[in-house]
Amino acid sequence: MNISASLARTTRLLLRPAARSCSSGSGATSNSPTTTVTNMVSNLQSPLFTQQVVNAMRTLYPEELADRSWDNVGLLQGNIDPSSSIGAGWSTSRPVSPIVLLTNDLTIRVAEEAIRKKASIIVTYHPFIFRGLKSVTLADPQQRILLQLAQNNIAVYSPHTAIDAAPGGMNDWLADILEGHSVSTKRSVVQPINQATLPEGFGGAGYGRLVELAHPVNLGAIVQAYAEGLGGLRYVMVARPKASAGEPEHVMPISSVAICAGSGYDVLKNCKADLFVTGEMTHHSALKLTMEGKYVITVFHSNSERRFLKKRLQPLLQTTLRKEDPVAEVLVSEEDEDPFEIWDVKNLPPAALLGSKK
């Protein structure tokens, strides 16, 4: 059944008048449309596996760690236990399989991958709903995803900044990439969260990390470490101070590194660090840092985050879920990728040269 037919069928079911009762008087049973819809809603339940995934994510990365002043974390789209829908005017032939699909961004291609791989819940690092919706139609890509997932009974959960702030989370993983240079390090949180608001066991949570190296390391070694640690990147972007006219070029060894996944300048801007590592940074922010004698490495926004799913979250979440469901499976999306590519203008992709008119 296509999306339009499915929505039309659901609308007819909700608006169809209930059969009139033949009995009369105070003992008559109400069969009004309002009562019918209320009973339908009250009988529906969330699948057990969805509840297990949500509880596991909240245990690993409590939502209290997220920056809710702007972020939108938690269960963003629910799904329905098919057994609870019997007699409720709704049914699905798609079973709730114990499969989770991890992704950095929830795109149309990732949604279709989830359907194809029979996932019942997607854990997307970035929320795919940030603001309220005034309509849900096929005209908007985000709304199309919502309709596709609802039709296929797939839930969506997003942890976002809860993972950033958690000890052992995204930013600690990025800081761990600096290990292995035969140099000891000292690590601190750039923007700590108020300790009074932290869940038990999550002391020291906060945004961004400052890593101090016991002795200086050359910039090239750090660039190579991040290129490898983030999945074998061929190119990274570097902003660095330029020598004055007539002076020899010099690259200062690095003794301290400020780190934040994604777009991290606002978190890191007051750090006393030689090098800033983040996913992306605006032109003027990078220019300011280089004029202050600082260095910057950027790798594109989601490239600073995506590898965490495979290296840390997948094994951790799967181990946690299998304590309750031995066949639970956590997959990492093969369709998820950063929207930006770097093209060599002397070796353009063949597809870019098709369709030209002479």
Side-chain angles (χ1 to χ4, degrees):
M1 185 184 296
N2 63 33
I3 292 175
S4 299
S6 177
L7 289 175
R9 177 178 179 275
T10 302
T11 302
R12 289 197 301 272
L13 286 169
L14 291 175
L15 298 181
R16 183 175 60 195
R20 292 182 177 275
S21 172
C22 294
S23 59
S24 60
S26 60
T29 301
S30 171
N31 285 315
S32 70
T34 301
T35 303
T36 302
V37 172
T38 301
N39 289 338
M40 287 167 58
V41 173
S42 64
N43 289 335
L44 297 178
Q45 297 177 2
S46 177
L48 176 60
F49 185 68
T50 298
Q51 297 175 45
Q52 290 171 341
V53 173
V54 170
N55 290 338
M57 289 300 299
R58 287 172 174 167
T59 298
L60 295 170
Y61 308 104
E63 292 170 16
E64 295 92 327
L65 303 182
D67 186 351
R68 289 187 178 274
S69 65
W70 62 271
D71 204 2
N72 188 32
V73 301
L75 184 63
L76 304 186
Q77 179 165 328
N79 57 349
I80 299 171
D81 183 347
S83 65
S84 72
S85 68
I86 298 174
W90 180 90
S91 63
T92 177
S93 60
R94 193 175 191 274
V96 176
S97 56
I99 298 174
V100 184
L101 183 68
L102 303 181
T103 185
N104 202 76
D105 294 292
L106 180 46
T107 62
I108 292 173
R109 287 174 56 187
V110 172
E112 292 172 347
E113 178 186 17
I115 295 168
R116 189 169 63 249
K117 293 182 176 178
K118 304 186 185 306
S120 64
I121 181 168
I122 297 170
V123 173
T124 174
Y125 170 70
H126 286 142
F128 86 121
I129 299 174
F130 258 113
R131 288 168 287 277
L133 302 176
K134 292 187 177 182
S135 64
V136 182
T137 73
L138 295 176
D140 178 89
Q142 176 201 32
Q143 295 166 20
R144 173 183 164 180
I145 292 169
L146 192 154
L147 288 168
Q148 283 183 293
L149 297 182
Q151 185 183 30
N152 287 275
N153 202 28
I154 299 174
V156 180
Y157 183 89
S158 175
H160 203 200
T161 52
I163 279 186
D164 292 350
M170 181 76 73
N171 286 313
D172 274 325
W173 169 73
L174 284 172
D176 289 343
I177 293 175
L178 286 173
E179 306 291 344
H181 293 283
S182 300
V183 54
S184 58
T185 62
K186 178 183 177 183
R187 188 179 306 183
S188 58
V189 175
V190 175
Q191 289 186 0
I193 296 174
N194 185 346
Q195 299 296 306
T197 66
L198 292 175
E200 184 177 353
F202 285 85
Y207 309 107
R209 298 294 184 267
L210 177 62
V211 178
E212 299 174 64
L213 308 175
H215 61 74
V217 175
N218 69 67
L219 180 61
I222 295 177
V223 167
Q224 290 174 333
Y226 276 104
E228 180 181 351
L230 294 174
L233 302 179
R234 176 73 185 276
Y235 302 99
V236 304
M237 287 169 284
V238 177
R240 59 190 176 92
K242 299 299 192 294
S244 300
E247 293 184 359
E249 185 176 12
H250 174 69
V251 177
M252 179 182 70
I254 304 301
S255 296
S256 55
V257 186
I259 300 164
C260 185
S263 182
Y265 178 77
D266 285 341
V267 172
L268 304 177
K269 60 186 177 183
N270 294 321
C271 281
K272 305 297 183 183
D274 299 329
L275 171 66
F276 290 69
V277 176
T278 188
E280 63 184 354
M281 186 178 293
T282 67
H283 169 85
H284 293 289
S285 297
L287 195 62
K288 179 178 183 295
L289 290 174
T290 59
M291 288 191 294
E292 293 173 346
K294 313 295 185 183
Y295 296 79
V296 178
I297 296 174
T298 65
V299 295
F300 290 141
H301 188 113
S302 66
N303 286 346
S304 67
E305 304 158 337
R306 184 170 291 104
R307 189 71 172 169
F308 173 86
L309 304 180
K310 183 75 172 178
K311 301 297 288 186
R312 292 283 175 89
L313 183 55
Q314 181 188 33
L316 189 57
L317 181 58
Q318 184 161 284
T319 298
T320 302
L321 290 174
R322 285 187 175 178
K323 293 176 182 177
E324 297 186 78
D325 188 336
V327 297
E329 188 174 6
V330 178
L331 309 176
V332 177
S333 173
E334 298 177 56
E335 299 291 345
D336 178 43
E337 59 184 6
D338 197 275
F340 284 102
E341 300 175 321
I342 296 177
W343 285 11
D344 181 348
V345 297
K346 294 183 179 180
N347 186 28
L348 293 172
L353 303 175
L354 297 177
S356 298
K357 294 182 179 180
K358 295 184 179 180

